[in-house]
């Protein structure tokens, strides 16, 4: 469903991604690991259309369409969801209202009817229970005054409501204690199915004990330097990122 | 006593001590450098001590009393422990580690260390060498210097990477009756490796009403994505002095959740500082203080946002009665590169008497341009309309006032997630509020 | 504003007033200000002698005053001798003949706001016959109010029909020499609105200048006087929720509210005059003095304002809380885009016992706009048990705009409880990206973020006003982000 071919990306003339290729098929979970500054977040930003990045070469196709040609909201409506590393606060904008606007923007785009208030609430309450979120979440502003852990849970809630075809998780585990990590992982795992693809970006191997990937890719200095199965993550944990730098130099 | 004489006094007092780890060159070096930084105690001419006079401490010559024989048993300390809490326990009396009252060796945690600093210095000094004395700056003030010149004992918790403590850690610092003029200088060190996680309770209490000085320094080092919940409750004797500094070093994605309760001591001064040295860190500083009589309580905090994407949230509430005085001075410092900082700071005070005084100063110093910062301070009296309303419903004047006072400060008690500890703090707070018994009866 | 609705105004007025309008149209007072001009204005309006004396005294006082310069504003010098006073309505011949002659941008805005076609022409000042039945609106309205004893009319009418009321209250809240612009207004004010709510009457409808077309064109120097007698209540809406075509540079209005024992006045404003272009050329100077006096015990006044227009806005709707238990509120959204400047806030003067005030100010700065909150909370010596809560939030969009907060707090009574909270935040690329990643369009995102920020103020506006104000905020910010 997602084919990234030799993607090169620069910011202000500095090359960050130096030729990335990635092929995600429906139902697959790909983990991308890498040290600070390896280009993990850049990849998620480019795939979702954030401004400020120059794609200097390569292509990205998503469900047969040229992804790079689409506006950020178009990509979202076509089913790409990014769980942000640093979810953004929007003070005063009610969480529920925001989520409803997002859900309906996607539904209208996909030719479905807008959800009415009751159906929306039913679905929302069910997902909130799964993520152990209490009702006060609904009344608060989007991520407003949330702790780091609450923000991450809210991302997973949004993902569950928006039912994406392709979900990108950017360091969703960073800043989570062990209980919150368990809850978020359960949320993600409950969404795994044959149609849905996942790209899970993480700094810590720990996450992959909870969300078990089909493939692991190691990103270093803008390149995927090693790909393998889930065992690669364990090997990486054991040997540290220094090991990768060794590969890179070789 | 002038600074020179004071320095000489403490120099000779320290010289007569046999300190743990005396053979370690790095440690001796850090101790002597710290003592060199001791220039007497701060005065009100120091901006950070503008509202807090420590002349009374300077006048008394506090003594280190090693080897004081104390015949305490479990029953004696029971009432100071958090009831029903299954924990690893460390107990210090008059500044000294009490192995008989602490968790037994056989009950030691698997995979991580909960021990007295003196033990760690003698058995595994390499585990603390890179951290001890490097986080808290002895030159910050005379108290920190004096503590750092000693670094004899205190609690030491070391969690290796990935370690989640299976039980909370409870540390009790007690001072016995008749311990006049002694000084206890706990030196605590909490190290959490990457992804490690723990909850620590510090309780400072007195068994009598002696006049003594607690001068504590706590250093906290949090690795990437580590989390520490830190609770401190100070209910020391109304004649004592409590000075403490907690200094935290936070790596990326780490979380420091602190809750401070300051109720006791004639003079209490708490310095609570954290530095974000990596992105994505989070620091919550909650607390409350209740003062009465001629008590003085000073809360000083500083959060340094050095890196982007960190969040700090501070909230303190205080209730002041009698001729007591409280000081709140909070600073959020957002460094040039700390974009996307989210910082908030609030201090609310309730004055129960005309003679109580509060000096509150929430400060923001911001050198980055894309940040979200908020601060606020309030000072007020009980809402007379609300008092009247309650009285019109049959409560007597005192009861109405008590209820409203507890409603004000209770918010900070309710923020404590652990029910057992919440109960303890609620009890202490109610004991200090006028009409507290009546409220307890209602609960 | 003068040319826009003056003609409409005249049509309306002609039906039930005589002579007045035709007189103006033929009368051209040359620019310039002198005692003679003031005498002429007063004579034209057929005013009583005391009114003339009042104007002249104000003028003499004004001559001794200096233009204030303490606000953080960049103002081109104003040549007071080049202004034509006495409302000096533009000749209808100068007005656009049809909608084709109107700036298409303005028309586009009307369309987005969903304003009916016929009203668009009126707002744009097209010199055609009024196509909607303002007369009947105005008259049915008047009858209904008359039945309950509410007086709601133009200032000129009030002077003729209720001179004793005008004389009793005029200038008692804002004295003629209060400030430079208030003095100027007192000398030359052209017209305005007058409202009197008798004892114990709850005004049965929202009073609005939008419907009372004949008062909406009051020119540069508008004067509003509202009196709520004991236990009376009125909600008054000022302004219009679509940008008005206006060729006047300086607006110096004065609004006086008098609130007696147990009475309550709610005053809402939506102001969106021409802001000038992105270089700050053109645009209105909006220098307004608004003040309410809570004279009686348990009286209450509430100011709500949404200020999105004008090149320069300079206003501090204030509350003088004299009565015991009286309360004042101020809710404000001020938006500056392009090269707009706003220096706005409030003054809460606590004099009576147990008085309370509440201030919520939301400043939004975009483009090269400069936005300042300036507010005074004063607790006087005798004001036992006074309370104030101030919340002051600024939202920045882009890096060329500015937000400033100047709270002045003066407490002379130790029982006071005064709280001030301030925040500054930025509408960031991050927020935009976040919203768009969730499938929302850039326009919806801006509108959602800004309205979220202003929520606490917008909810104070009467329903239909709030909806249009929300749209306006979105429109005023179009193209600022994203």
């Amino acid at each position: 469903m997602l084919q990234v071919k030799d993607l090169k990306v620069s910011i202000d003339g500095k090359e960050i991604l130096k030729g990335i290729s990635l092929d995600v098929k429906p139902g697959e979970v790909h983990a991308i690991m890498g040290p600070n500054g390896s280009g993990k977040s850049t990849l998620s930003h480019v795939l979702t259309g954030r401004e400020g990045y120059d794609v200097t070469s390569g292509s990205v196709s998503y469900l047969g369409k040229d992804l790079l040609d689409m506006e950020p909201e178009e990509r979202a409506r076509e089913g790409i969801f990014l769980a942000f590393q640093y979810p953004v606060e929007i003070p005063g904008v009610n969480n529920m209202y925001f989520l409803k606007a997002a859900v309906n923007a996607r539904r209208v785009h996909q030719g479905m009817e807008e959800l009415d208030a009751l159906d929306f609430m039913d679905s929302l309450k069910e997902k909130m229970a799964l993520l152990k979120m209490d009702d006060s979440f609904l009344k608060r502003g989007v991520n407003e005054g949330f702790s780091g852990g609450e923000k991450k849970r809210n991302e997973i809630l949004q993902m569950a409501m928006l039912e994406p075809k392709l979900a990108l998780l950017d360091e969703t585990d960073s800043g989570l204690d062990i209980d919150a990590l368990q809850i978020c992982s359960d949320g993600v795992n409950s969404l795994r199915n044959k149609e849905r693809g996942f790209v899970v970006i993480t700094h810590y191997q720990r996450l992959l004990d909870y969300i078990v990937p089909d493939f692991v890719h190691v990103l270093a200095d803008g390149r995927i330097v090693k790909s393998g199965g889930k065992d690669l993550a364990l090997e990486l944990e054991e040997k540290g990122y220094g090991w990768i730098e060794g590969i890179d130099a070789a | 006593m002038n600074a020179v004489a004071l320095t000489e006094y403490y120099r000779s007092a320290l010289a007569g001590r046999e300190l743990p780890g005396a053979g370690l060159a790095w440690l001796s070096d850090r101790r002597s450098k710290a003592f060199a930084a001791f220039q007497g105690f701060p005065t009100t001419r120091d901006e950070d001590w503008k509202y807090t006079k420590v002349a009374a401490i300077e006048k008394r010559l506090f003594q280190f009393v090693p080897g004081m024989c104390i015949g305490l048993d479990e029953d004696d300390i029971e009432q100071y422990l958090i009831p029903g809490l299954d924990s690893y326990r460390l107990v210090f009396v008059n500044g000294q580690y009490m192995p008989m009252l602490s968790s037994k060796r056989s009950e030691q945690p698997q995979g991580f260390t909960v021990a007295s600093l003196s033990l760690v210095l003698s058995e595994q000094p390499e585990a603390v060498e890179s951290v001890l004395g490097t986080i808290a700056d002895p030159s910050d003030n005379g108290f920190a210097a004096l503590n750092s010149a000693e670094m004899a004992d205190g609690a030491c918790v070391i969690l290796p990477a990935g370690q989640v403590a299976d039980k909370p850690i409870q540390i009790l610092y007690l001072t016995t009756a008749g311990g006049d003029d002694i000084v206890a200088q706990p030196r605590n060190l909490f190290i959490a490796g990457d992804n490690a996680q723990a909850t620590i309770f510090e309780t400072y209490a007195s068994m009598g009403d002696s006049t003594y000085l607690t001068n504590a320094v706590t250093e906290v080092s949090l690795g990437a994505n580590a989390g520490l919940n830190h609770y401190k409750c100070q209910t020391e004797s109304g004649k004592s002095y409590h000075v403490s500094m907690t200094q935290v070093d936070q790596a990326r994605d780490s979380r420091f959740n602190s809750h401070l309760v300051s109720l006791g001591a004639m003079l209490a001064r708490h310095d609570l500082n954290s530095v974000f040295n990596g992105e994505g860190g989070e620091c919550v500083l909650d607390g409350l203080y209740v003062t009465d009589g001629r008590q003085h309580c000073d809360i000083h905090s500083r959060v340094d946002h050095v890196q982007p994407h960190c969040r700090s949230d501070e909230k303190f509430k205080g209730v002041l009665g009698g001729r007591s005085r409280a000081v709140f001075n909070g600073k959020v410092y957002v460094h040039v590169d700390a974009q996307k900082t989210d910082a908030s700071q609030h201090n609310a005070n309730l004055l129960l008497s005309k003679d109580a005084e509060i000096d509150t100063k929430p400060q923001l110093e911001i050198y980055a341009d894309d940040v979200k910062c908020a601060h606020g301070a309030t000072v007020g009296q009980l809402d007379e309309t609300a008092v009247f309303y309650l009285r019109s419903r049959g409560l007597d004047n005192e009861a109405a006032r008590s209820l409203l006072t507890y409603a004000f400060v209770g918010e900070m008690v309710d923020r404590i997630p652990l029910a057992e500890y919440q109960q303890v703090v609620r009890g202490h707070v109610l004991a200090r509020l006028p009409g507290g018994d009546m409220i307890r009866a209602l609960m | 504003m003068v040319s826009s609705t003056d003609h409409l105004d005249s049509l309306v007025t002609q039906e039930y007033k005589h002579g007045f309008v035709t007189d103006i149209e033929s009368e051209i007072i040359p620019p310039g200000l002198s005692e003679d001009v003031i005498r002429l204005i007063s004579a034209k309006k057929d005013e009583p002698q005391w009114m003339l004396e009042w104007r002249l005294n104000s003028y003499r006082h004004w001559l001794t005053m200096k233009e204030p310069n303490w606000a953080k504003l960049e103002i081109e010098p104003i040549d007071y001798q080049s202004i034509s006073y006495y409302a000096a309505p533009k000749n209808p011949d100068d007005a656009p003949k049809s909608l084709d002659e109107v700036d298409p941008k303005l028309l586009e805005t009307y369309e987005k706001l969903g304003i009916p076609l016929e009203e668009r022409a009126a707002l744009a000042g097209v010199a055609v016959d009024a196509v909607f039945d303002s007369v009947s609106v105005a008259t049915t309205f008047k009858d209904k109010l008359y039945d309950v004893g509410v007086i709601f009319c133009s200032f000129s009418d009030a002077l003729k029909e209720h001179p004793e009321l005008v004389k009793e209250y005029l200038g008692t809240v804002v004295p003629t020499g209060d400030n430079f612009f208030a003095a100027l207004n007192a000398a030359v004010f052209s017209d305005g609105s007058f409202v009197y709510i008798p004892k114990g009457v709850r005004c049965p409808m929202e009073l609005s200048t939008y419907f009372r077309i004949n008062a909406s064109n009051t020119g540069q120097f508008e004067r509003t006087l509202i009196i709520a007698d004991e236990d009376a209540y009125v909600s008054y809406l000022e302004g219009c929720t679509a940008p008005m075509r206006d060729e006047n540079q300086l607006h110096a209005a004065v609004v006086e509210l008098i609130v007696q024992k147990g009475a309550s006045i709610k005053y809402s404003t939506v102001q969106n005059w021409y802001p000038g272009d992105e270089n700050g050329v053109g645009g209105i100077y909006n220098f307004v003095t608004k003040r309410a006096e809570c004279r009686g015990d348990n009286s209450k006044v509430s100011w709500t304002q949404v200020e999105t227009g004008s090149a320069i806005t300079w206003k501090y709707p204030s509350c003088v809380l004299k009565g015991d238990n009286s309360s004042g509120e101020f809710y404000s959204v001020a938006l500056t885009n392009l090269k707009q400047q706003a220096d706005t806030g409030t003054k809460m003067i606590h004099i009576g016992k147990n008085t309370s005030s509440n201030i919520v100010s939301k400043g939004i700065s975009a483009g090269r706009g400069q936005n300042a909150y300036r507010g005074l909370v004063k607790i006087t010596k005798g004001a036992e048990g006074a309370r104030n809560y101030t919340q002051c939030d600024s939202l920045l969009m882009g890096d060329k705009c500015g937000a400033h907060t100047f709270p002045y707090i003066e407490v002379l009574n130790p029982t006071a409880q005064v709280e001030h909270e301030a925040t500054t935040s930025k509408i960031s690329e991050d927020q935009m990206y976040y919203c768009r990643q969730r499938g929302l369009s850039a326009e919806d995102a801006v509108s959602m973020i800004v309205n979220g920020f202003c929520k606490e103020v917008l909810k104070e506006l009467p329903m239909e006003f709030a909806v249009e104000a929300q749209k306006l905020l979105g429109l005023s910010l179009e193209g600022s982000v994203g």
Side-chain angles (χ1 to χ4, degrees), chain A residues 205-246:
Chain A
Q205 183 276 331
R206 186 184 68 156
L207 174 68
L208 305 181
D209 295 342
Y210 295 86
I211 301 172
V212 181
D214 302 305
F215 302 95
V216 174
H217 310 277
V218 179
L219 193 62
D221 192 29
R223 292 188 178 88
I224 291 179
V225 294
K226 204 165 171 55
S227 295
K230 59 176 189 277
D231 297 340
L232 178 58
L234 293 170
E235 196 176 350
L236 194 63
E237 172 79 355
E238 204 174 295
K239 297 182 179 169
Y241 284 119
W243 173 57
I244 294 307
E245 277 148 32

Side-chain angles (χ1 to χ4, degrees), chain A residues 66-84:
Chain A
D66 180 359
L67 188 69
L68 299 177
D69 217 27
M70 294 154 78
E71 290 294 313
E73 58 268 39
E74 235 179 306
R75 303 182 198 201
R77 292 169 191 174
E78 287 288 335
I80 293 186
F81 179 89
L82 171 64
F84 282 53

Side-chain angles (χ1 to χ4, degrees), chain A:
Chain A
M1 64 195 310
L2 179 76
Q3 281 149 322
V4 181
K5 281 189 189 144
D6 194 33
L7 185 66
K8 292 184 181 170
V9 175
S10 309
I11 304 174
D12 299 330
K14 187 173 180 275
E15 192 162 72
I16 308 291
L17 297 183
K18 301 173 179 172
I20 299 265
S21 295
L22 187 67
D23 192 354
V24 181
K25 296 194 171 62
E28 290 178 353
V29 176
H30 290 248
I32 296 179
M33 300 187 64
N36 283 340
S38 56
K40 298 188 304 280
S41 286
T42 299
L43 181 62
S44 70
H45 290 160
V46 171
L47 292 179
T48 48
R50 186 178 187 150
E51 285 167 26
Y53 297 88
D54 299 322
V55 176
T56 51
S57 79
S59 67
V60 181
S61 114
Y62 168 70
L63 299 175
K65 291 178 191 155
D66 180 359
L67 188 69
L68 299 177
D69 217 27
M70 294 154 78
E71 290 294 313
E73 58 268 39
E74 235 179 306
R75 303 182 198 201
R77 292 169 191 174
E78 287 288 335
I80 293 186
F81 179 89
L82 171 64
F84 282 53
Q85 178 183 8
Y86 298 117
V88 180
E89 292 193 22
I90 310 177
V93 175
N94 177 286
N95 237 333
M96 182 169 62
Y97 176 59
F98 175 77
L99 196 47
K100 196 170 167 209
V103 166
N104 283 331
R106 183 187 57 97
R107 289 182 70 94
V108 168
H109 178 80
Q110 296 180 352
M112 291 185 276
E113 262 183 50
E114 293 195 10
L115 272 187
D116 69 34
L118 283 178
D119 291 343
F120 175 78
M121 274 311 285
D122 285 351
S123 163
L124 184 59
K125 290 260 177 170
E126 178 194 324
K127 272 139 194 162
M128 283 173 61
L130 183 69
L131 291 163
K132 300 196 167 61
M133 295 165 81
D134 67 59
D135 284 1
S136 68
F137 267 83
L138 300 175
K139 295 183 190 116
R140 293 162 74 183
V142 178
N143 295 319
E144 189 181 0
F146 284 26
S147 71
E150 287 174 328
K151 283 181 186 169
K152 295 294 175 80
R153 256 190 282 172
N154 200 23
E155 292 293 285
I156 302 300
L157 175 70
Q158 291 179 12
M159 178 167 79
M161 289 299 293
L162 288 166
E163 299 174 336
K165 293 180 180 132
L166 175 67
L168 312 173
L169 276 63
D170 189 359
E171 298 211 21
T172 295
D173 54 326
S174 292
L176 290 186
D177 65 25
I178 211 85
D179 300 332
L181 178 63
Q182 181 75 57
I183 292 167
C184 282
S185 306
D186 288 349
V188 171
N189 287 330
S190 72
L191 289 170
R192 287 179 74 161
N193 65 28
K194 275 186 226 141
E195 282 81 42
R196 192 167 285 141
F198 283 89
V199 176
V200 179
I201 295 168
T202 181
H203 183 77
Y204 306 103
Q205 183 276 331
R206 186 184 68 156
L207 174 68
L208 305 181
D209 295 342
Y210 295 86
I211 301 172
V212 181
D214 302 305
F215 302 95
V216 174
H217 310 277
V218 179
L219 193 62
D221 192 29
R223 292 188 178 88
I224 291 179
V225 294
K226 204 165 171 55
S227 295
K230 59 176 189 277
D231 297 340
L232 178 58
L234 293 170
E235 196 176 350
L236 194 63
E237 172 79 355
E238 204 174 295
K239 297 182 179 169
Y241 284 119
W243 173 57
I244 294 307
E245 277 148 32
I247 294 175
D248 196 30

